[in-house]
Amino acid sequence: MANRLKCYIWYGKNKEMIKQLITLIVILPLVALLGCGQENSKMNTEGTKLYQENINYPYSASEKRKAIILNNMNKLEKGMTKNEVIKLITYPDEVNLTYEFKNAKPESVIGFSLVYLLRRNAKSGSTIEKKEQLLRVHFDNSEKLLWAYSVDIDAFKVIEK
């Protein structure tokens, strides 16, 4: 009985603090979730059509797709818009947010990248383990091409930051 009385007294004294903690526990995840959605829409990545929604592994692009990408990749120029890039080398396979200093927090999003796969043998692992061959094109928050590089495509002229 004495312990129960102590709990009631403690609860009475700390009721406001408990309400604030419960509010924080419920509201903070919602604010973070809404913040991420705002970042994604600010980057305009959600509306980007993908070449394929699901990739089956091992993956190899069709000869026609490879030809379009390889024949047009060196026509990319710094400052091009996302739509200009898509018009030139077709829809990407992936769209990824780009983070500053590899910090995956919503406030550190500095842009996004379009990924054009020519080959990927496995869904996960390092680039070497996946035996990837791809082109990655990075954009800033205003959808302007900042830099681009390739993995295992010797003919691509890297676009430096």
Side-chain angles (χ1 to χ4, degrees):
M1 178 85 167
N3 285 337
R4 191 177 283 174
L5 182 60
K6 286 179 187 177
C7 286
Y8 287 130
I9 292 171
W10 181 88
Y11 176 76
K13 289 180 181 176
N14 297 295
K15 188 189 296 187
E16 195 58 36
M17 182 179 70
I18 291 169
K19 285 180 183 177
Q20 289 173 350
L21 280 171
I22 290 170
T23 302
L24 283 174
I25 290 169
V26 170
I27 291 181
L28 276 179
L30 292 173
V31 169
L33 182 63
L34 289 173
C36 289
Q38 289 171 348
E39 288 296 332
N40 285 340
S41 62
K42 206 190 299 183
M43 303 312 152
N44 200 16
T45 59
E46 288 184 24
T48 304
K49 180 179 171 184
L50 298 179
Y51 170 66
Q52 52 189 13
E53 289 294 324
N54 297 308
I55 298 173
N56 296 316
Y57 298 97
Y59 170 76
S60 184
S62 69
E63 290 304 315
K64 181 180 178 183
R65 182 168 174 78
K66 281 182 190 177
I68 291 169
I69 294 168
L70 294 173
N71 291 336
N72 293 308
M73 67 185 179
N74 285 317
K75 295 176 186 173
L76 294 172
E77 295 178 12
K78 198 175 227 178
M80 290 177 92
T81 66
K82 175 185 81 168
N83 290 336
E84 290 171 327
V85 170
I86 290 172
K87 187 175 180 180
L88 182 66
I89 59 174
T90 196
Y91 292 104
D93 293 290
E94 296 176 1
V95 179
N96 301 303
L97 292 178
T98 303
Y99 295 91
E100 185 173 31
F101 304 116
K102 297 189 179 196
N103 185 357
K105 293 183 180 176
E107 64 272 11
S108 65
V109 173
I110 59 171
F112 61 94
S113 64
L114 302 181
V115 179
Y116 295 87
L117 293 174
L118 300 181
R119 178 188 69 231
R120 184 182 280 164
N121 288 353
K123 184 175 184 172
S124 61
S126 70
T127 300
I128 294 169
E129 291 169 326
K130 292 189 275 186
K131 295 187 179 175
E132 289 181 314
Q133 185 179 28
L134 60 82
L135 176 65
R136 184 178 298 272
V137 184
H138 288 273
F139 297 84
D140 63 12
N141 293 341
S142 62
E143 298 186 17
K144 300 288 184 188
L145 193 155
L146 281 180
W147 81 94
Y149 67 90
S150 66
V151 174
D152 197 25
I153 304 174
D154 296 332
F156 181 67
K157 297 174 193 159
V158 173
I159 299 173
E160 307 251 345
K161 277 188 189 182

